Amino acid sequence: MTTMSQAESEMPANRRSRTGKRRLWRGLRQQWKLLGLFEIDPQHEFFGMTQMMKEGLSAAVQNTIDNPLTDDLSEDDFKTEVTQVHQGFQMETFAGPVFARLRHSLGMTEKDYQHSLSSEGCYLQFISNSKSKADFFLTNDKRFFLKTQNKREVKFLLSNLKIYLAHLESYPHSLLVKFLGVHRIKIPRREKKYFIVMQSVFYPDERINARYDIKGCQVSRWTNPPPEGSHVIVILKDMNFEGKYVTLDEQGAWLVRQMKIDTAFLQKLNVLDYSFLLAHQPLHRDERDQSHSLATLIMRTKKSVDPGSSPTHAGVPCVPGAVLEEDSALLVSEMDCGSDSFRVTETHPSDGMIPLQELQGGAAGTSADSELQEFQVQNRRLLPNFKNPLHVIDGPDLRYFVGIIDIFTVYGFKKKLENLWKRLRYPGQAFSTVSPPAYACRLCQWVQDHTK
């Protein structure tokens, strides 16, 4: 049994209480650091700023709720800056209508988005081993990431926003992280803070049992793993994944192909040093043995492949999870099960189309069996009623969370000098700072070599 020291025993009771609270706080702080997350409560250094973020974001989203989207985006929408004045600070929102349209295309309602960003629970600080000076925060439900950015990075994103959206329109299941908002906080007599909001690739994370940050190289790409059975959250790296594989069976070809498409896009932006995030969790037995009707599979995929549901249109959301199960008017007009694309049409039996009910029953149902089987193989990554389906893909035994993040490092003069220095320092070894074509090729090769 422990006893108080003489100095402590001589303290007034209220002071001893404060000392005990500080010790408890330090202990909790250390635990959260070990877990990689740190709750930002009133004693935290970032509490004031995150409270401003929450208040400002709630008002910014309310502005889009009160001002419904128009049918088409204009050039002015990409350049708009809205300033809202709050007590003690101002919040600026950049290209608000554009990001609102993107959120809509991802199946998010503005109310749902607003609720996650401004719920009563405290934000979480993510303890990152990133070399940048950025601060990382998570909403209390862990659904959205907020990351501070410098002015150059924000200008880079906004200047390329139109082609970023066009890429997501062409490839609705792109692995690129989904940016949902760009903002700036102005506090009197303090430095302006830029930050972005994006979807968390690792959501929901409750059962994730391994996380990796992959760059396709070897130098400085090892992290000491946590002890077996530990609940400590550690982001592992390339060398930790050696001898392991992403097992997707037929879906593996899709992942490799999409990786090549996305990295080719990033190569055009002349960027490097981005990361391929990878995590996995075991599938439950009912998830491994799931069988879906053709109607359900069509409804799960329609919104993500219908051209009218792209980020630059005002149509219905393209996320499979956003499709209402009662949407019984869906009928098949054309489906190419041998590729990643197909088209479905909303119509009615009176239009002369064959209803899905007929495809699933009788002789028509028998003829559709092979198509259904192949359709399931090509679209297992589309999960119904899942709030983050674009970054999730199922294998036979594991559910994988995948995404490409940190796309702001331009291959300019400084990076070229760094490349030269590392070539001298690490002869014959693979390091991260290489030209954008070499970086894209190498990362694609890593994914191909580690996928089966």
Side-chain angles (χ1 to χ4, degrees):
M1 182 175 176
T2 59
T3 57
M4 289 189 297
S5 68
Q6 183 178 355
E8 285 180 319
S9 64
E10 293 175 356
M11 290 181 185
N14 61 343
R15 188 176 175 187
R16 287 201 302 270
S17 176
R18 288 197 300 270
T19 302
K21 287 180 179 179
R22 281 197 298 269
R23 286 180 174 173
L24 177 61
W25 171 247
R26 284 196 298 269
L28 289 174
R29 184 185 181 98
Q30 186 61 29
Q31 285 182 334
W32 281 319
K33 280 187 176 180
L34 287 174
L35 290 173
L37 294 175
F38 187 4
E39 188 176 44
I40 303 175
D41 72 354
Q43 285 76 40
H44 194 286
E45 60 179 319
F46 289 129
F47 180 75
M49 187 175 74
T50 54
Q51 288 298 107
M52 293 178 189
M53 284 179 169
K54 289 173 68 172
E55 181 182 337
L57 287 168
S58 179
V61 178
Q62 188 63 45
N63 186 50
T64 65
I65 294 172
D66 297 338
N67 297 280
L69 298 172
T70 56
D71 290 339
D72 296 298
L73 292 174
S74 67
E75 287 293 328
D76 289 340
D77 289 329
F78 286 86
K79 301 174 184 177
T80 183
E81 298 180 17
V82 175
T83 300
Q84 293 174 300
V85 180
H86 303 265
Q87 185 174 355
F89 73 99
Q90 295 180 5
M91 172 79 88
E92 293 177 291
T93 300
F94 300 91
V98 179
F99 287 107
R101 182 64 48 76
L102 175 57
R103 295 192 295 268
H104 181 73
S105 74
L106 296 176
M108 300 178 196
T109 67
E110 291 299 278
K111 280 292 185 183
D112 187 32
Y113 181 62
Q114 183 186 49
H115 180 264
S116 284
L117 293 174
S118 57
S119 64
E120 291 184 3
C122 296
Y123 280 178
L124 305 171
Q125 182 185 7
F126 177 70
I127 308 299
S128 170
N129 57 3
S130 170
K131 295 179 182 179
S132 72
K133 297 180 180 180
D135 298 310
F136 300 82
F137 308 112
L138 273 169
T139 53
N140 190 259
D141 59 7
K142 302 182 185 178
R143 188 177 173 190
F144 301 111
F145 246 109
L146 296 90
K147 180 185 177 184
T148 60
Q149 306 280 168
N150 61 43
K151 185 176 182 179
R152 182 201 64 79
E153 292 167 334
V154 166
K155 288 181 66 176
F156 176 80
L157 174 58
L158 294 175
S159 65
N160 291 290
L161 185 56
K162 188 175 294 186
I163 58 175
Y164 169 76
L165 290 180
H167 182 77
L168 297 187
E169 177 182 353
S170 299
Y171 305 99
H173 288 275
S174 167
L175 301 171
L176 297 180
V177 67
K178 306 306 180 292
F179 297 110
L180 307 175
V182 177
H183 307 272
R184 179 172 64 187
I185 287 182
K186 297 173 67 175
I187 306 171
R189 297 178 297 280
R190 289 174 60 180
E191 184 182 0
K192 299 173 184 177
K193 281 283 186 181
Y194 292 87
F195 69 94
I196 58 173
V197 184
M198 52 190 168
Q199 245 182 341
S200 173
V201 174
F202 298 157
Y203 177 85
D205 72 340
E206 284 78 9
R207 292 196 303 114
I208 289 178
N209 52 18
R211 299 165 175 82
Y212 297 88
D213 179 304
I214 304 297
K215 292 185 182 289
C217 58
Q218 300 156 339
V219 174
S220 301
R221 301 306 297 166
W222 167 268
T223 295
N224 290 328
E228 189 172 349
S230 169
H231 295 290
V232 175
I233 295 175
V234 175
I235 307 297
L236 303 172
K237 298 180 181 179
D238 303 56
M239 300 307 292
N240 298 95
F241 201 81
E242 285 307 297
K244 302 180 177 68
Y245 294 91
V246 179
T247 304
L248 296 172
D249 292 344
E250 292 87 347
Q251 283 290 292
W254 173 85
L255 177 62
V256 172
R257 176 177 176 271
Q258 190 60 52
M259 192 71 187
K260 291 179 179 178
I261 291 170
D262 289 330
T263 55
F265 170 74
L266 296 176
Q267 184 178 329
K268 292 178 182 178
L269 295 183
N270 195 37
V271 297
L272 71 156
D273 218 25
Y274 42 88
S275 294
F276 173 61
L277 289 188
L278 170 66
H280 57 69
Q281 68 182 39
L283 289 175
H284 290 302
R285 177 175 297 180
D286 60 335
E287 292 172 325
R288 292 197 302 267
D289 300 333
Q290 60 185 324
S291 60
H292 300 290
S293 70
L294 182 58
T296 301
L297 288 167
I298 291 287
M299 285 189 285
R300 284 164 63 188
T301 58
K302 171 189 177 283
K303 297 301 197 304
S304 66
V305 296
D306 186 345
S309 302
S310 68
T312 54
H313 290 77
V316 285
C318 71
V319 166
V323 183
L324 300 177
E325 293 295 334
E326 58 266 25
D327 190 359
S328 58
L330 278 174
L331 304 174
V332 181
S333 67
E334 180 181 333
M335 180 172 69
D336 180 6
C337 293
S339 69
D340 286 338
S341 62
F342 59 89
R343 186 174 74 249
V344 293
T345 302
E346 290 189 41
T347 182
H348 296 275
S350 59
D351 297 326
M353 301 296 296
I354 303 175
L356 285 175
Q357 296 91 321
E358 292 183 22
L359 281 175
Q360 298 175 83
T366 303
S367 65
D369 285 347
S370 60
E371 288 187 348
L372 172 58
Q373 184 176 6
E374 189 169 3
F375 192 89
Q376 285 177 303
V377 167
Q378 292 297 324
N379 296 282
R380 286 189 67 188
R381 64 184 176 277
L382 308 181
L383 305 176
N385 305 317
F386 202 73
K387 290 188 176 182
N388 191 26
L390 301 182
H391 293 299
V392 178
I393 178 171
D394 279 0
D397 301 302
L398 295 176
R399 172 164 294 162
Y400 295 94
F401 297 75
V402 292
I404 297 174
I405 65 165
D406 294 339
I407 65 171
F408 299 109
T409 304
V410 176
Y411 192 57
F413 180 70
K414 287 184 178 180
K415 284 297 174 181
K416 291 177 181 178
L417 283 181
E418 185 179 335
N419 169 265
L420 179 59
W421 179 80
K422 287 187 175 180
R423 285 166 60 187
L424 297 173
R425 181 178 174 87
Y426 305 109
Q429 298 184 62
F431 48 84
S432 62
T433 310
V434 294
S435 69
Y439 194 93
C441 181
R442 189 174 64 190
L443 191 54
C444 286
Q445 190 62 53
W446 188 97
V447 172
Q448 184 167 325
D449 292 343
H450 292 82
T451 302
K452 64 179 183 178

